Amino acid sequence: MLDTFEILSTSGVVLWSRTYVPVHSYVINSLIREVLIEERTNKVAYGDGTTKPTYRKDGYIMKWNLAKDFGLIFVAVYQSLVHLTWIDKLIDNVSALFTGLYGEQLKGETSNAKFPFDPYFDREMQRVEASNDTSTSSAFEVTSNTEFTPPSSSGTDHGADEPPPMPGLRKATAPQKPIYNPDTSTDATPVPTPDTSRPSTPASRILTGKTRPGSKPSRRDRKVKAAENSAPASSGDETSARKGKAAGKQKKNRVWNEFGADEEDKSINLDYSTVSANDPADFELPDAINPESWGRTTGKGQFVLKDLDEEMDEIIASANAKKESSTAAGGIVGSSLGAIGGLFRNVVGGKTLTKEDLEKPLKGMEDHLLKKNVAREAAVRLCDSVERDLIGLKTNSFTTIESTLRTAMERALTKILTPTSSLDLLREISTVTSTNRPYVLSIVGVNGVGKSTNLSKIAFFLLQNHHRVLIAAADTFRSGAVEQLRVHVRNLKELSKREGGEVDIFEKGYGKDAANIAADAVTFAKENKYDVVLIDTAGRRHNDARLMSSLEKFAKLAKPDKILMVGEALVGSDAVAQARNFNNSFGAGRGLDGFVISKCDTVGDMVGTLVSMVHATGIPVVFLGVGQHYADLRGLNVGSVCRLLMS
Amino acid sequence: MAWHDADSWLTLAFAPHPGTLALALLVVIALPILLHAYIYRRRAPDSFPTFLLVGPSGAGKTSLLTLLSHGAPSATHTSSTPTAASLTLPITTTPASSRYRSNNDPSADRARKFRLLDTPGHGKLRHYALSSLTKTSPGGALKGIIFVLDAAALGEDAGAAETGEYLHDVLLLLQKRHTGNKTSKGPAAIPVLVAANKMDLFTALPQSLVKLRLEKAVEEVRKTRGRALKDSGIELSAGDGEEEEREGLADGYEGTFGFKMLEDSDIEVKVAGGSVKGDKGEGADVQEWWGWVAEQL
Ligand SMILES: Nc1nc2c(ncn2[C@@H]2O[C@H](COP(=O)(O)OP(=O)(O)OP(=O)(O)O)[C@@H](O)[C@H]2O)c(=O)[nH]1
Ligand SMILES: [Mg+2]
């Protein structure tokens, strides 16, 4: 069951919506935040590429489509317990319809516009559910007494997982199969496959089996109802004027007409007695076959419906055609006029970008990013997302493709690097210490990246702000680690004497369990009124499963408020794997909170590692290490990093 | 050859030479067209005064925009792009500039028009708002900033922190705009309206407290910002070593922050409560905000 379908603009205004079951607005908000703005790819299930990606939130599944050129988002929300296969089709068709119908209006100010989309949506809904006719029983029963409810269906590949039909029914249904089930007939499914929506209880099965042939009266009922629904869409005059056209065109649009053409009469003559069949597939077919005769019997109302139908088909078809032609356009541009025009527009602007236009500049952009030490995976994904943003867009006047691409890439980089919420460490510390417990910050990372050094830099920064800091030596593995920290602490004590801060070391020697030491340090700090505990951990390879697994226990026992990972600016393509593995090593519900990128002074403008790490995880860069001194720690300036990357 | 020679260019220019005639004709015909095009272009983006809607996500900016542009707030979700709407002041409020005009004056209608620019409040997308603050907007001068906040969220620490931070950033930018200006006159002041939205909710902070709470929140940000680490700008840009002086909000003042401290920098802050969505179906309460907008026009 579909819960809600919404059409909203990227500026946040809901232009049209259909609600079956109210869904709290935070559900769609979190889709927009997490997927569309923050681009957290790990929250999205991409499936096998043939279906749309899905996003789950609190028991709901969302599928969506973006119409970039119109700035629209189409979202369908349904319970994650049900399985709707026709959702993708519905979203695509509704997107095509809506943009086709209101394209002009959407170019202007949308906040004032009204979109009488209801009849179109209802009709489209009926059509997609009809074409996917393997419905489950419950949904089917609902269909029979409500005007309009989408049945949930179990799969597009008909009959694969269905039980064999009841013996008594086989005779009645089998010959008619081609009529109801155009899809299966082209798929060459064996004939006995039960067709359309078959209720699971034997009783109702028999009922539908019998009534199906005599579906004519009910069909008419439904149509009248649907017509009432769609009445506001077109006036009476209009419809009668279009009558002829509607009749003529209808045949063209339905390729599968022939299948049922001669069986049509039979199905009608079989049984007129029962009135309750509401087979959605069945109901659509005949007016496609023989519109004139149906028009005579049912009268005016029906033509309104057909008119709508035809109009919708046209819009969807033209949308599809446009899509195809735009992908094919690259090949046709060979004609000299097109080439010259394209060249001209390339310089002057106002050119609509296609995949082919972007291919070469994008390749150049990718190489450029790779040269800046961005990991290949991140560079490729960045270029892909920029390409997705740009295809179909018109370049501004007097801008070339290259410069358009540059600004788009710069925007993408800014968006990635800008943290979602503020990274004010001092603020967080004061919030935590006001609750009478120390703020716990721990540092992880692979060997030799400068964990201890950066820890001391952070300690120095905190000391300057008059905090009492306890440094816990939880690296009980590498010999000399504790001594190294001791030296740092001595230096810091010396340096901070005048400032008024206070720093001590908490050590338990080597060989003990790091997690326990960390936990002890926190307790000790609490008893002795320290403001901040900084925990140094042992360096470990991110692909060493044994060592990485101990991090989970560490996170559980020490309960750090913040876990920062130190990464080298020099690291290159390994950055992505490092960031990802560390982020996933703390158990469910806990990840990294930020990165410290060390040795930034040694790489010049090749600061790509920042991008790789942030891109892989969506976790912000908190500090940059820029030198050998205690004071050489910096916050991130997004603007300057982007400039460096694009230079 | 000298200019007075028989076949010099000057002689030629005054002679009934066909080329000269053609050139003159061309100039005569083309000039008005070009002039028209030029002037028309310049005026085309209707230079209505612009107001900028800023504020944290979920405060009700987009709702306010839809309420003002078509009478009732429509359902909204998190915005990811900015949007603009052209609005007209209601008849009941008179813009300050046409206080002495007759109500029937046709030009009064134009004076009522303005543009409202909605921006996304999500942390990653604030650059839309902040950049349109610094650069002069293409269509018309920026006449004011409406900082929308959720008065219910302001009652909680997390909400207050986020709101304070955003407001701090906006005010700091305005202050920098003032101090960074070299000319004696300074740029036109941009006043700020803090619109405390969602006053209809019973969890909302009462109007009398909103201002105090905000000032406290901004003060907290101001305190930690002053002591925070420098950012990476200089080190990374391989460089010309010169350290930029860091400017803090209301630097010259001791004691806790108050909006009054900003008057030196020509920033006027007004706090007014209201709600986009009415109390149990009653109409929205935006009169005070309208009044402020009218004052700025
Ligand atoms: N109770 C109440 N709710 C309101 C009021 N104004 C807005 N809301 C609700 O607040 C929610 C967020 O409103 P939006 O206008 O989308 O917020 P926004 O400021 O545009 O948020 P972003 O686009 O994310 O920056 C919506 O669900 C509104 O219905 C109000 O005055 N009272
Ligand atoms: Mg919004």
Side-chain angles (χ1 to χ4, degrees):
Chain A
M1 265 305 295
L2 189 62
D3 280 6
T4 298
F5 194 102
E6 293 202 3
I7 303 176
L8 50 137
S9 66
T10 50
S11 58
V13 183
V14 178
L15 301 179
W16 182 88
S17 71
R18 168 59 63 85
T19 309
Y20 301 106
V21 182
V23 174
H24 197 279
S25 77
Y26 84 87
V27 176
I28 293 182
N29 280 350
S30 59
L31 168 77
I32 300 176
R33 274 161 190 276
E34 297 194 337
V35 180
L36 303 182
I37 298 180
E38 291 163 27
E39 293 178 347
R40 300 224 203 134
T41 39
N42 53 342
K43 298 252 175 176
V44 180
Y46 283 96
D48 53 1
T50 52
T51 53
K52 289 189 182 300
T54 53
Y55 168 77
R56 285 163 188 268
K57 178 85 186 175
D58 293 357
Y60 290 105
I61 292 187
M62 274 165 268
K63 291 201 170 206
W64 66 96
N65 182 39
L66 302 179
K68 263 177 290 100
D69 26 351
F70 296 98
L72 292 183
I73 308 170
F74 300 82
V75 194
V77 187
Y78 54 99
Q79 301 273 333
S80 52
L81 294 174
V82 295
H83 183 68
L84 306 181
T85 42
W86 39 263
I87 269 299
D88 284 9
K89 185 141 198 293
L90 177 75
I91 295 175
D92 280 339
N93 285 356
V94 166
S95 308
L97 269 174
F98 196 82
T99 49
L101 280 167
Y102 307 116
E104 285 311 303
Q105 236 171 309
L106 290 166
K107 296 279 187 213
E109 263 177 27
T110 50
S111 53
N112 268 323
K114 286 266 171 291
F115 303 97
F117 191 61
D118 281 4
Y120 295 96
F121 183 79
D122 290 342
R123 189 73 190 110
E124 187 52 45
M125 194 78 168
Q126 287 171 351
R127 297 202 312 183
V128 287
E129 59 178 325
S131 66
N132 261 277
D133 40 19
T134 29
S135 336
T136 56
S137 61
S138 62
F140 185 75
E141 273 148 25
V142 176
T143 332
S144 56
N145 48 33
T146 51
E147 153 65 18
F148 169 66
T149 321
S152 54
S153 54
S154 53
T156 30
D157 90 346
H158 306 276
D161 46 3
E162 287 205 295
M166 297 270 292
L169 272 174
R170 198 174 279 189
K171 232 192 196 161
T173 50
Q176 290 170 21
K177 209 195 101 263
I179 304 181
Y180 316 125
N181 210 342
D183 293 18
T184 25
S185 64
T186 52
D187 288 344
T189 322
V191 175
T193 312
D195 58 325
T196 60
S197 4
R198 202 159 36 72
S200 56
T201 59
S204 55
R205 200 179 281 173
I206 289 163
L207 179 71
T208 18
K210 268 189 188 157
T211 53
R212 187 167 289 122
S215 56
K216 183 182 160 192
S218 73
R219 195 186 300 141
R220 197 187 297 161
D221 285 352
R222 277 182 71 111
K223 249 171 228 152
V224 172
K225 267 193 206 159
E228 278 163 11
N229 238 9
S230 60
S234 52
S235 69
D237 302 350
E238 203 178 277
T239 41
S240 52
R242 285 211 200 164
K243 214 186 222 174
K245 196 174 127 221
K249 278 249 170 91
Q250 202 69 30
K251 272 189 176 155
K252 235 191 277 169
N253 290 335
R254 301 258 148 68
V255 201
W256 35 272
N257 277 354
E258 292 82 40
F259 282 119
D262 35 8
E263 271 161 45
E264 152 84 334
D265 292 343
K266 207 201 289 171
S267 74
I268 292 165
N269 291 334
L270 277 175
D271 187 358
Y272 277 86
S273 58
T274 1
V275 193
S276 70
N278 269 304
D279 187 336
D282 175 290
F283 125 70
E284 190 183 307
L285 194 74
D287 59 289
I289 294 162
N290 204 347
E292 284 96 343
S293 67
W294 281 107
R296 208 169 346 103
T297 45
T298 50
K300 200 175 171 186
Q302 192 204 345
F303 284 103
V304 178
L305 176 66
K306 252 189 279 168
D307 205 33
L308 193 69
D309 238 11
E310 185 210 353
E311 190 186 339
M312 283 164 63
D313 277 339
E314 261 169 32
I315 293 169
I316 293 175
S318 81
N320 288 340
K322 216 188 283 169
K323 218 186 278 165
E324 260 153 44
S325 76
S326 76
T327 47
I332 306 167
V333 171
S335 78
S336 60
L337 199 67
I340 291 170
L343 218 61
F344 181 66
R345 288 220 202 87
N346 191 6
V347 179
V348 174
K351 180 180 167 62
T352 306
L353 295 172
T354 64
K355 202 175 168 67
E356 283 71 23
D357 292 332
L358 287 170
E359 198 165 4
K360 240 177 59 203
L362 265 177
K363 191 82 197 72
M365 183 58 78
E366 195 183 313
D367 291 341
H368 175 81
L369 288 178
L370 290 177
K371 263 191 228 130
K372 296 280 177 182
N373 208 6
V374 177
R376 178 169 295 276
E377 184 189 334
V380 168
R381 284 238 300 269
L382 267 170
C383 287
D384 282 353
S385 85
V386 168
E387 182 185 21
R388 255 181 282 129
D389 277 351
L390 287 181
I391 285 180
L393 275 189
K394 255 206 180 87
T395 56
N396 288 334
S397 37
F398 298 108
T399 43
T400 57
I401 295 177
E402 283 75 15
S403 66
T404 312
L405 182 63
R406 260 183 85 85
T407 39
M409 182 55 84
E410 226 170 305
R411 214 177 321 129
L413 287 172
T414 310
K415 201 164 114 185
I416 281 184
L417 291 176
T418 308
T420 303
S421 58
S422 112
L423 303 170
D424 196 335
L425 190 61
L426 294 177
R427 184 88 180 270
E428 282 171 41
I429 290 174
S430 70
T431 331
V432 168
T433 48
S434 68
T435 61
N436 280 325
R437 69 175 180 87
Y439 184 86
V440 183
L441 186 153
S442 79
I443 290 218
V444 297
V446 300
N447 312 69
V449 286
K451 283 185 300 302
S452 305
T453 315
N454 279 295
L455 185 98
S456 336
K457 284 182 188 173
I458 295 173
F460 179 70
F461 164 58
L462 295 176
L463 287 172
Q464 282 184 316
N465 285 293
H466 319 300
H467 285 301
R468 292 191 72 210
V469 180
L470 182 70
I471 295 182
D475 182 354
T476 55
F477 192 69
R478 183 173 63 86
S479 60
V482 178
E483 285 74 20
Q484 188 195 353
L485 272 184
R486 236 182 257 152
V487 172
H488 277 308
V489 169
R490 208 178 50 227
N491 293 346
L492 286 170
K493 269 194 168 135
E494 202 65 37
L495 283 168
S496 62
K497 227 183 255 159
R498 280 171 302 134
E499 311 272 350
E502 209 178 300
V503 57
D504 290 296
I505 186 166
F506 184 92
E507 52 168 311
K508 282 280 167 73
Y510 294 98
K512 300 248 174 49
D513 183 52
N516 287 329
I517 293 186
D520 289 348
V522 176
T523 330
F524 178 81
K526 190 167 181 186
E527 281 159 7
N528 293 284
K529 301 249 172 316
Y530 283 94
D531 299 322
V532 185
V533 184
L534 301 177
I535 306 173
D536 190 21
T537 62
R540 57 201 85 206
R541 290 297 310 161
H542 58 281
N543 36 24
D544 180 338
R546 195 178 58 83
L547 277 176
M548 291 301 279
S549 65
S550 67
L551 282 176
E552 187 168 349
K553 184 182 174 197
F554 171 80
K556 240 180 226 125
L557 286 185
K559 292 195 205 65
D561 294 283
K562 217 173 190 62
I563 306 178
L564 300 182
M565 180 190 137
V566 181
E568 269 181 319
L570 313 157
V571 66
S573 57
D574 198 33
V576 172
Q578 272 185 23
R580 230 176 244 150
N581 289 355
F582 270 102
N583 192 28
N584 295 333
S585 63
F586 298 102
R590 190 71 174 98
L592 290 171
D593 298 296
F595 295 112
V596 179
I597 309 290
S598 66
K599 311 183 189 175
C600 285
D601 50 328
T602 59
V603 290
D605 62 354
M606 311 222 318
V607 288
T609 305
L610 266 80
V611 180
S612 314
M613 291 203 167
V614 174
H615 195 263
T617 53
I619 291 162
V621 171
V622 184
F623 295 122
L624 298 179
V626 292
Q628 302 284 351
H629 300 285
Y630 286 120
D632 288 335
L633 192 67
R634 296 285 178 272
L636 173 70
N637 183 329
V638 176
S640 72
V641 169
C642 286
R643 272 196 298 282
L644 279 183
L645 283 170
M646 299 308 295
S647 66
Chain B
M1 93 195 58
W3 61 268
H4 47 76
D5 280 354
D7 51 353
S8 78
W9 60 270
L10 199 63
T11 323
L12 219 62
F14 283 96
H17 189 272
T20 315
L21 286 179
L23 195 71
L25 208 66
L26 198 74
V27 169
V28 165
I29 292 170
L31 197 66
I33 296 174
L34 288 176
L35 217 61
H36 170 83
Y38 177 70
I39 292 169
Y40 189 74
R41 275 274 173 80
R42 301 271 330 246
R43 280 207 58 86
D46 37 15
S47 49
F48 291 125
T50 304
F51 289 84
L52 194 64
L53 278 173
V54 298
S57 189
K61 297 177 293 297
T62 313
S63 304
L64 178 62
L65 183 97
T66 55
L67 169 74
L68 298 186
S69 65
H70 53 109
S74 49
T76 58
H77 288 296
T78 306
S79 313
S80 41
T81 53
T83 178
S86 305
L87 300 175
T88 313
L89 272 184
I91 311 291
T92 44
T93 42
T94 320
S97 65
S98 47
R99 200 168 297 152
Y100 306 106
R101 263 187 248 244
S102 148
N103 257 349
N104 304 319
D105 188 338
S107 67
D109 214 33
R110 194 182 152 74
R112 288 175 185 286
K113 283 217 164 76
F114 65 98
R115 239 162 50 98
L116 199 58
L117 204 66
D118 176 34
T119 57
H122 188 280
K124 274 184 186 293
L125 300 173
R126 291 191 182 159
H127 60 92
Y128 284 116
L130 300 179
S131 67
S132 50
L133 256 180
T134 43
K135 66 167 189 269
T136 48
S137 49
L142 191 57
K143 273 291 168 70
I145 294 168
I146 304 178
F147 186 92
V148 185
L149 62 87
D150 180 343
L154 196 66
E156 293 153 24
D157 283 341
E162 200 202 347
T163 311
E165 204 155 316
Y166 198 177
L167 183 59
H168 172 273
D169 292 353
V170 170
L171 293 176
L172 183 59
L173 259 181
L174 285 177
Q175 184 190 305
K176 278 185 177 157
R177 179 172 168 275
H178 181 81
T179 46
N181 194 265
K182 297 287 188 286
T183 61
S184 58
K185 195 162 155 279
I190 300 179
V192 178
L193 169 71
V194 175
N197 190 22
K198 307 201 189 180
M199 281 299 185
D200 56 318
L201 298 176
F202 76 97
T203 47
L205 216 58
Q207 173 143 9
S208 52
L209 289 181
V210 167
K211 185 166 174 228
L212 288 175
R213 188 72 191 84
L214 262 184
E215 286 180 336
K216 189 166 155 248
V218 174
E219 166 66 18
E220 269 160 33
V221 181
R222 192 171 80 115
K223 235 173 27 204
T224 54
R225 281 293 163 83
R227 295 178 302 169
L229 286 171
K230 283 188 241 96
D231 70 26
S232 58
I234 310 124
E235 271 78 13
L236 288 182
S237 47
D240 11 3
E242 194 185 312
E243 293 236 348
E244 200 184 319
E245 190 70 27
R246 181 157 51 178
E247 184 180 340
L249 188 64
D251 260 342
Y253 288 90
E254 297 288 314
T256 51
F257 174 83
F259 291 132
K260 270 209 277 318
M261 293 179 183
L262 296 172
E263 275 162 17
D264 280 356
S265 322
D266 250 354
I267 306 171
E268 223 179 282
V269 181
K270 181 184 170 169
V271 182
S275 62
V276 171
K277 291 198 169 166
D279 204 1
K280 296 182 207 77
E282 277 169 46
D285 172 20
V286 292
Q287 263 316 309
E288 235 181 307
W289 304 343
W290 267 132
W292 181 85
V293 169
E295 268 174 44
Q296 314 306 327
L297 281 173

